[in-house]
Amino acid sequence: MLSEMPSRLSIDPVLIGGIGLWAIALYLSFYPVSQRLVEQLSHWLNFAKAGSAQDAQSTFWASIASVLPFLAIGGLCYYGIVISLGQSWAISVGLIACVAGGIYELGRRDGESPE
């Protein structure tokens, strides 16, 4: 039944995957910036509210909203590489950037932990 209906909105899974890869890479690479953004958004959402339940809800929505700038910048990175090198390169370089960002974050956390 549903397969017979024509699709008016075609969503490219490679596009979503590429933008997601770049967003994850940027989020991991700039983790202190993302944490600061969550704190600022949470503080802004809590400005007129009181109570611990409201604090938890504000922190949840702040963490969701903090991903949006990384998705936007990730989309720009993805499109920049697609235009210059092609779609397969954009996915490959995005995957390499994710691995590099993850290794960087592990090293950064290891350097911060007391021994």
Side-chain angles (χ1 to χ4, degrees):
M1 306 274 174
L2 291 176
S3 61
E4 296 174 7
M5 297 177 61
S7 175
R8 293 183 185 185
L9 177 66
S10 64
I11 298 174
D12 187 15
V14 176
L15 172 72
I16 293 171
I19 292 173
L21 277 174
W22 277 100
I24 291 169
L26 292 170
Y27 193 84
L28 288 174
S29 299
F30 297 106
Y31 186 75
V33 174
S34 65
Q35 284 303 107
R36 173 99 172 145
L37 183 61
V38 168
E39 290 170 5
Q40 291 297 321
L41 286 171
S42 180
H43 177 69
W44 180 69
L45 289 172
N46 282 331
F47 186 68
K49 298 177 185 177
S52 62
Q54 293 295 331
D55 291 343
Q57 187 178 20
S58 296
T59 303
F60 170 75
W61 287 112
S63 65
I64 296 295
S66 72
V67 175
L68 296 178
F70 291 100
L71 282 172
I73 297 169
L76 292 174
C77 291
Y78 176 78
Y79 277 126
I81 294 178
V82 166
I83 290 170
S84 61
L85 298 173
Q87 191 172 26
S88 64
W89 275 97
I91 297 294
S92 299
V93 175
L95 188 58
I96 292 170
C98 280
V99 170
I103 292 171
Y104 169 74
E105 181 60 24
L106 285 173
R108 186 189 67 78
R109 286 187 183 186
D110 187 46
E112 286 181 357
S113 65
E115 293 191 26

